[in-house]
Structure formats: C-alpha cells, structure tokens
Amino acid sequence: MKVSKGLKAMFWLLLAVAIIGGALWLARVVQGRRISALEGEIGSLKQEHVNLRFSITERAQEGLSARIKLYTADGKEIGVLEDSWPGERLFIDFILVKMGSGYLSFPYRVFTDAIPAAEGRDLTVFYDKAGFPAVFDQAGLSRSARAGLQALFLKVKAGEYPPSSFGNALHEIGGISEFNTGLVYRAVARLSGGMEIMED
Amino acid sequence: MDGTAYQTAIAIARGVSWLFTSLPGLIILGVAAFFFLILRMSRAAKADRSLRKAAGEKLGPFAGVEAALAEAASLAAKAVVNIPALLMTVAVLALVATVSTTVASFDDFLRDQERIRAYEKVVANLERRYRLATVECLSSSPEGFTARIDFWDAEGKSVVNSQELQLPGKELFLDAVVLNFAYAGIESGDTRNLAFPRAAFSDRLAEKDGLILTGAADAAGLPWIFRRDEPSIYGMEKEAFDKRIGEIVSMARDQGSARKAGVVRSQYGSAVHRPMQKGRSFTVWIEQSGGLSIKDSGF
C-alpha cells in the first residue's frame, strides 16, 4: 500500500514534469522559427543586388574612358558599353522604383561632371530585350512578374517616375573618393533603396 | 541567471539528462550494470574456490563457475522479489532524467531568448534611417525651378539651417559624400553611416557648374549633421567627440586608409534626384543598411 502510494505520487510528479517539458519543447520550436526568420531578415537587409560593374580605363586632360557591364539577376553578362566622355568624374545614374517592401534599381544613364544629366548616355538600351529589362531576368521568373517589370521599364525609359521612386547618380569625388584606373567597381543596391559603390 | 551555483546546477542537469536519454549514456549505464554483475559473480567464484581449497578439494578448470552462476541467479531472484521497489527506483531515475532534461532545456530557452533579443536589435539598427535633408519645391516651370532645402541635425529631429536655390531644368540633384561603415558597428549600434551634403545641380546643369550647399555646414565648415550640444552619437565627451569628427573627416579624405582599417566599407558621392513640381516635397534619408534614399515627406 505504501509502495503503491509512493508510485502514484511519482507518477503524478512525472506527469507534471512531462507537461512542463512539453510546453518548453513547444516554446523552443517557436523560438527556432523566430530565430530563422530574424536571420533571414538580417540577410535580406544586407543582401547585395548587383546588375552593373564598371571600371575607368583611361584618364586624360580631355576626359575619361570607362567600360560598363550589365548583368542579369543570375549574374549573366548581357551588355557592355565602352566609351569616352569629357570631364573628370564619372556619374552612373539609376532609377530606384518601389516594389513591395523593397526597391528595384534600373541602370539609367551615364554622364560626367562636365555633362548635364539630361545629355548623358542612355544605359537602358543595353538591357532592353524586346521591352523586358533583362537586368532582372532570372530562372523561374513568372509571366506576371515579367509583365509587371516590362510595364515599369516602359515608364522608366520614358523618363517617368513611378510613385515613390527616385534617382541616384553614384559618382567619384575628386580629392576624396576617386575611382582608380583599371579597378573594377560594382554598384550595389539594397532592399532599403540605398545604393553604394564598392570595389569588386 | 549566470551565477556559479546556477551554472553548476545546469551542468549537472545536462550530464544526468545525457546519461539517461542518449545512446552513449545508456550504453555506459548498461556497461556499468554488466561490470557490477561480473564483479559479484567473480567474488562469489573466488570465495567458493578459497573454501574448497581450504577444505582440501582438488580444483578443476570450472571450479567456482557454479558459485558464480548461483550468485547471478540469486541476484535475479532478489530483483523479482523486489519488483515494486525496482519499479520505484526506475520511476525515480526517470523523474531525475526528466527533471534534468527540462532544466537543461529551460537554460537553452533562456539563451535563445537572449539571441532573439540580440537579433532584433541588429534588425532595428539595420532598418534605421536618419534625415539628411528635406526638399520643397517652391515654384516650377518648363525652364526651371526654385527649391528650399532644409538641413537636419545629427538625430534628424530638428532643422538647423535652410538654403533656397534656383536651377534650370526639371530635376533637382542633391549631392552628398557618403560613408558607409563596417556592418559590425552598424549592427551593434556603435557606429552609423554618415553623409555630408555638398552640392546641388540639375538635369540641365552639369555638376561642375552646380551650386555649393553652403547652408549644409556651420561657419567653421562643420556639416550640420555633426552639430550637437551634447555629443552622443558615440556617447562621448565633447573633446573626444571633436577628435572623433576630425578622424572621420580625415577618413573621408583618405579612403585607402579608412578601408584598410576595416572601418569604412564604402565611400563615394551620391546625387539623389527627383523631378520638381510646385508644392511637392520629399526627404533624403541616410540608410543604415547603406546609401541614401528619398521618401515622400510624411513617410
């Protein structure tokens, strides 16, 4: 009788501990999901989207020469521009268009400190594939996504700014931040709409 | 929850939990029980051999085996007779194992809660942005526009100065030097990306002919973005703060050394721009994930 009472008490104690353990296990599962979600969010915020790389190939009294390469979202090269312009500092202009919680960066034009932006070289022709902006091409892109991108591209090419969009002309600054001749740089776009130039 | 006693208790709990719930632990317990049995049997065999030898018996190769087997049978019989006590022992051991596992699991829960808090802080710091300038278009025509630019303090809480300018064309380009710092500092909140407004030009006016944003800095040439009565961007005293600003301005001038030091991850010019239309306004933000952005005023 005594042993049986002891065993019963042990059983209930075990059950209580098992219930607490079960609740803790469930909490740990929820924690694991939250940690994964946060790690994904941090990755997204820092993720680099690169569709353009460039290098200054020559600097002279009259101006500068540069090579600009354009890429798809999968990293495939789709267009190259090599040209010379008057001026000392290269400006690479993008149009950032709001899409969902992030921004899409459309390479737009190239100019220099000596050339007004409106007279800059059009970059859209180098990735315009039958009206589709090939810099956003990637495996698995749906038909509706393609159509949406095409519609946005039409506006960008026409110089219209879709709602919440803006332009950003990235450039070197003489005496402070110059592009070294021969070095390849990449234009990095981030989810927030911010862009930066980094050595490749 | 990080005292020595707590840590010791957790370590013991983890050890007991491992012993009773993991395969290696169960193997160890099984091997220990096996060696206990072998020990008892060998003692019985040894005692039997000693007795027989003392009695003058001649010992064969299997002397003592019978005694050993008898000891094993006796242990088994005792176990059967004491089944309730045995069950109680098993229940106690199960309880100990369960409690230990639960305690260890609770410690993991607390550690991961800390991890979640740290990650949430990182996300908040990366998503943060600071006002650099606000632009309002005062008038616009096919030939040009007039705009007022308001420059904000370091915290982006108050306008410290304004500048009106008139430019030909349709789009205002607001140019700034941008310094993006290494992510480690941004994520922890120890540093933040900086930008100094420097010039304004337009789609019709080349940058070299643009207007210097004299309103963006004080009389000493220090950008308003650094102006604070109580320096607290880096939580420093004024002297240390001024020294730090000097270092940052030097970094802006010597990109090579700044990047080599691993402090600045990128440094360049960024001229954000938008078409100007009378009555419309927008804000230029410094994004802590990198670069500048424009959002409509009221964002």
Side-chain angles (χ1 to χ4, degrees):
Chain A
M1 189 68 176
K2 203 175 171 182
V3 169
S4 173
K5 266 190 181 173
L7 266 175
K8 267 188 188 173
M10 205 61 61
F11 166 75
W12 287 113
L13 205 57
L14 206 61
L15 188 66
V17 172
I19 289 170
I20 292 169
L24 207 53
W25 173 82
L26 203 65
R28 298 274 293 129
V29 168
V30 170
Q31 264 189 338
R33 284 188 190 151
R34 179 77 180 128
I35 286 171
S36 292
L38 284 167
E39 284 173 344
E41 213 172 324
I42 291 168
S44 293
L45 286 166
K46 289 158 69 173
Q47 192 177 14
E48 295 186 2
H49 299 275
V50 177
N51 55 27
L52 184 148
R53 286 181 173 80
F54 66 93
S55 61
I56 306 291
T57 53
E58 196 184 337
R59 288 190 195 272
Q61 195 96 3
E62 314 81 55
L64 55 86
S65 303
R67 181 186 303 121
I68 296 166
K69 291 187 177 181
L70 295 148
Y71 301 83
T72 65
D74 289 331
K76 185 183 154 195
E77 188 181 305
I78 46 168
V80 183
L81 161 64
E82 284 197 61
D83 207 346
S84 301
W85 298 271
E88 295 175 358
R89 296 182 295 281
L90 185 71
F91 285 64
I92 302 185
D93 197 14
F94 294 80
I95 301 294
L96 287 305
V97 178
K98 187 121 174 70
M99 174 67 71
S101 60
Y103 284 82
L104 297 170
S105 67
F106 290 79
Y108 191 47
R109 59 195 161 190
V110 180
F111 53 95
T112 69
D113 57 309
I115 302 172
E119 295 167 28
R121 183 79 182 269
D122 184 6
L123 281 175
T124 61
V125 296
F126 291 92
Y127 60 95
D128 188 343
K129 306 293 179 196
F132 177 75
V135 287
F136 299 110
D137 199 5
Q138 60 180 309
L141 197 63
S142 68
R143 199 171 280 183
S144 60
R146 283 183 179 272
L149 286 166
Q150 210 154 329
L152 277 175
F153 192 37
L154 206 59
K155 288 192 173 178
V156 168
K157 283 188 294 184
E160 294 169 25
Y161 281 68
S164 303
S165 64
F166 62 95
N168 193 348
L170 303 174
H171 63 97
E172 52 188 333
I173 301 176
I176 296 177
S177 172
E178 286 175 352
F179 300 146
N180 293 322
T181 306
L183 217 59
V184 178
Y185 297 86
R186 64 183 188 276
V188 175
R190 299 198 195 275
L191 208 68
S192 61
M195 288 196 74
E196 59 187 290
I197 291 181
M198 302 176 83
E199 281 180 32
D200 209 21
Chain B
M1 286 288 195
D2 56 358
T4 311
Y6 175 78
Q7 293 300 323
T8 308
I10 291 299
I12 291 169
R14 287 191 195 279
V16 170
S17 172
W18 175 84
L19 198 62
F20 285 95
T21 59
S22 72
L23 185 60
L26 290 171
I27 289 173
I28 287 171
L29 286 173
V31 166
F34 178 74
F35 273 117
F36 172 75
L37 182 66
I38 295 298
L39 190 68
R40 288 287 290 256
M41 288 170 70
S42 69
R43 273 187 183 167
K46 191 180 176 184
D48 182 62
R49 285 170 70 90
S50 299
L51 274 171
R52 288 190 181 191
K53 201 176 175 182
E57 273 185 46
K58 200 176 174 188
L59 299 174
F62 296 105
V65 171
E66 193 184 323
L69 288 173
E71 178 66 16
S74 165
L75 283 171
K78 279 181 189 171
V80 169
V81 162
N82 290 292
I83 273 182
L86 212 62
L87 280 174
M88 180 68 95
T89 306
V90 168
V92 168
L93 288 174
L95 184 66
V96 167
T98 307
V99 168
S100 299
T101 305
T102 303
V103 168
S105 192
F106 182 69
D107 185 60
D108 290 337
F109 173 81
L110 291 177
R111 281 177 198 276
D112 277 348
Q113 279 301 104
E114 280 297 319
R115 206 166 142 203
I116 286 171
R117 271 192 284 274
Y119 277 168
E120 284 173 342
K121 187 183 169 191
V122 167
V123 168
N125 286 335
L126 284 175
E127 285 183 334
R128 193 160 283 134
R129 55 178 64 91
Y130 297 93
R131 274 193 194 86
L132 178 66
T134 308
V135 177
E136 185 184 350
C137 182
L138 302 174
S139 69
S140 62
S141 72
E143 290 76 43
F145 57 87
T146 306
R148 189 187 73 244
I149 304 176
D150 294 330
F151 302 102
W152 294 73
D153 66 5
E155 293 304 311
K157 285 184 180 157
S158 58
V159 174
V160 289
N161 201 9
S162 299
Q163 183 173 347
E164 260 186 46
L165 36 84
Q166 203 171 351
L167 291 166
K170 293 181 200 169
E171 287 186 54
L172 169 68
F173 283 66
L174 184 64
D175 193 26
V177 176
V178 180
L179 278 91
N180 295 309
F181 287 83
Y183 271 126
I186 302 290
E187 288 173 3
S188 64
D190 290 338
T191 57
R192 54 184 236 195
N193 296 333
L194 297 170
F196 323 136
R198 52 177 292 274
F201 54 99
S202 75
D203 56 318
R204 294 276 169 212
L205 186 72
E207 185 265 351
K208 70 177 179 61
D209 300 322
L211 305 175
I212 301 295
L213 293 174
T214 52
D218 62 16
L222 187 71
W224 290 110
I225 193 94
F226 290 140
R227 179 65 177 267
R228 293 191 53 79
D229 292 328
E230 285 296 323
S232 68
I233 294 178
Y234 301 100
M236 297 174 179
E237 295 299 320
K238 192 175 186 321
E239 270 180 37
F241 176 75
D242 288 344
K243 187 182 170 205
R244 180 71 174 140
I245 292 304
E247 287 168 4
I248 290 171
V249 172
S250 296
M251 272 189 239
R253 294 204 171 106
D254 183 359
Q255 56 179 335
S257 67
R259 279 206 286 274
K260 273 182 202 162
V263 175
V264 172
R265 73 166 193 270
S266 65
Q267 182 182 324
Y268 52 93
S270 177
V272 288
H273 56 96
R274 247 197 186 174
M276 298 302 280
Q277 205 175 344
K278 186 183 173 182
R280 286 180 118 170
S281 63
F282 58 84
T283 302
V284 180
W285 297 86
I286 307 170
E287 297 285 345
Q288 293 314 290
S289 55
L292 302 180
S293 69
I294 286 181
K295 313 246 188 273
D296 294 319
S297 288
F299 172 80

